[in-house]
Amino acid sequence: MATIKDVAKLAGVSTTTVSHVINKTRFVAEQTQQTVWDAINTLHYSPSAVARSLKVNTTKTIGLLSTSVEAPYWAEIIEAIEKKCFQHGYTLLLANAHTDFEKQRAYLSMMAQKRVDGLMVMCAEYPDSLLKILEDHSQLPMVVMDWGSSHANFTDTVEDNAFAGGHLAARYLLDRGHRDIGCIPGQMERHTGEGRLAGFIKALKDAGITPREEWIVQGDFESESGYNAMQQILSQKQRPTAVFCGGDVMAMGAICAANEQGLNVPHDISVIGYDNIRNSRFFSPSLTTIHQPKIELGEKALEMLLDRIVNKRDEAQRLEIHPQLIERRSVIDGPYIDYRR
Ligand SMILES: Nc1nc2[nH]cnc2c(=O)[nH]1
């Protein structure tokens, strides 16, 4: 592989001049520039990022310690981060650890050794063991994207207002005249599971309704869990008229279960989701849901991290995103529409 010395030799200039031509760091006569670029093209020379990193002490690389790319929710956030990294001239190093602690530890160590300039964290669950190793790496500029309200002062965070989103979903169903409402939340260990459910329960209680335990069936953000949970809800003697699913993918499974029992969504039972994944518009019926601003989440988190890297900011910052109702066709008016509060 050609080196900068080979280019300098072929162009008949010094390596410093070649460097200035490539990096545009000093005036170089046009004719000389042309000669250098001709030599670069002839030799197919590519400047070494490794050599440059050693000199400037940055690698222009961001590490992302994440859970998986399989679920549409994660995929949309990661896509937004990757696009923004590219725009800013950074390479994204993706480390899917699947909530496996040993993998998280190994990836964190690898990323530190590769001297990433900053670290984005989206691990879904944050047991103390993970918090400890994150803190051990707190010399790295870091942003945690899915903790909800901040847990630590060594990292930037993004608050997604999961509680407000769950509240909004329940409030919408109440406003549409539903009072018998079930829920299929994601895992309680996850902020997006627990926070969305807590908001839902609060809205019901504020409306004078005691949530019925048998209508709250635990899911895990996968379609199969939504399917099984809906089957369980529908197997009961008294059924709810509406169900809030804490993730759109679970709503997809829940709608499938209802259909297989001969029920029509929304005419026999209304369903509202959460996340507004790209395909939720194309569910049958198209899904009424709570929009989680995923692109904004990814972009804001990266911008905050770059601000920390570039400006060498020490104090932790916290940004917020806000959930929004998206009305489509999976919810219709419930039996209490004329008596709503
Ligand atoms: N698959 C999946 N979807 C989500 N949507 C919000 N949180 C989650 C999560 O933890 N997993």
Side-chain angles (χ1 to χ4, degrees):
M1 191 178 271
T3 66
I4 193 164
K5 282 188 186 158
D6 300 326
V7 174
K9 193 167 166 200
L10 184 62
V13 298
S14 69
T15 53
T16 314
T17 302
V18 176
S19 169
H20 284 309
V21 170
I22 292 170
N23 297 311
K24 300 187 175 71
T25 37
R26 202 185 67 191
F27 172 78
V28 178
E30 201 133 313
Q31 178 59 48
T32 312
Q33 281 192 46
Q34 192 55 53
T35 312
V36 170
W37 282 116
D38 287 346
I40 287 171
N41 291 334
T42 305
L43 297 171
H44 303 293
Y45 170 71
S46 177
S48 162
V50 176
R52 183 173 160 74
S53 295
L54 288 172
K55 208 164 151 188
V56 295
N57 209 19
T58 98
T59 55
K60 284 281 197 174
T61 306
I62 299 292
L64 172 57
L65 184 64
S66 53
T67 312
S68 102
V69 283
E70 197 267 332
Y73 177 74
W74 306 119
E76 288 179 34
I77 297 172
I78 293 170
E79 167 121 339
I81 296 171
E82 184 269 319
K83 276 188 181 157
K84 207 66 185 168
C85 278
F86 183 76
Q87 277 173 16
H88 285 275
Y90 282 79
T91 304
L92 184 68
L93 210 66
L94 180 64
N96 282 326
H98 299 278
T99 67
D100 172 335
F101 178 67
E102 285 312 320
K103 227 172 158 183
Q104 286 165 339
R105 181 158 61 184
Y107 268 138
L108 267 176
S109 164
M110 278 183 224
M111 290 196 285
Q113 287 177 40
K114 284 193 180 294
R115 300 287 188 270
V116 293
D117 292 337
L119 184 66
M120 305 185 81
V121 181
M122 196 167 52
C123 287
E125 294 167 26
Y126 294 87
D128 288 347
S129 50
L130 175 59
L131 290 180
K132 165 84 177 63
I133 53 168
L134 287 176
E135 192 162 8
D136 289 346
H137 287 84
S138 60
Q139 79 287 355
L140 265 177
M142 195 185 296
V143 57
V144 178
M145 301 167 63
D146 55 352
W147 262 353
S149 48
S150 200
H151 282 47
N153 58 6
F154 60 85
T155 164
D156 292 344
T157 46
V158 183
E159 161 66 79
D160 73 344
N161 287 298
F163 181 93
H167 195 279
L168 183 60
R171 196 58 257 166
Y172 175 69
L173 294 175
L174 291 163
D175 287 347
R176 294 289 305 256
H178 294 276
R179 292 180 70 79
D180 297 329
I181 306 173
C183 181
I184 306 175
Q187 293 95 317
M188 289 304 103
E189 296 76 17
R190 300 188 179 190
H191 164 71
T192 46
E194 183 271 329
R196 293 173 185 185
L197 175 65
F200 164 83
I201 288 176
K202 175 81 168 57
L204 257 55
K205 287 188 172 164
D206 286 350
I209 297 170
T210 307
R212 287 177 57 161
E213 261 176 45
E214 66 275 25
W215 287 345
I216 300 180
V217 180
Q218 187 63 54
D220 66 2
F221 285 110
E222 298 290 335
S223 50
E224 197 163 342
S225 76
Y227 178 90
N228 291 334
M230 187 60 130
Q231 273 193 333
Q232 193 176 319
I233 290 171
L234 295 178
S235 71
Q236 289 157 32
K237 227 193 207 149
Q238 198 189 343
R239 292 171 169 175
T241 60
V243 173
F244 165 48
C245 295
D248 289 352
V249 172
M250 292 193 291
M252 184 168 69
I255 291 170
C256 177
N259 288 339
E260 285 183 12
Q261 300 226 358
L263 298 178
N264 176 281
V265 176
H267 295 287
D268 300 314
I269 188 162
S270 288
V271 173
I272 184 169
Y274 202 127
D275 282 341
N276 193 28
I277 59 171
R278 221 172 273 159
N279 282 335
S280 61
R281 149 83 182 80
F282 302 103
F283 287 11
S284 183
S286 70
L287 191 69
T288 293
T289 189
I290 304 296
H291 174 65
Q292 172 86 323
K294 297 169 290 302
I295 295 175
E296 197 188 339
L297 169 67
E299 289 185 352
K300 273 190 166 171
L302 179 67
E303 270 160 16
M304 192 159 48
L305 183 65
L306 293 182
D307 169 64
R308 198 167 186 143
I309 294 168
V310 172
N311 297 319
K312 313 224 177 308
R313 171 170 52 77
D314 271 339
E315 72 287 359
Q317 259 185 15
R318 177 172 161 273
L319 287 180
E320 285 188 52
I321 54 167
H322 298 279
Q324 246 180 309
L325 174 72
I326 306 289
E327 276 189 281
R328 295 199 186 103
R329 302 170 73 93
S330 62
V331 174
I332 55 169
D333 289 345
Y336 295 90
I337 188 68
D338 295 327
Y339 308 98
R340 64 196 152 165
R341 288 158 179 260

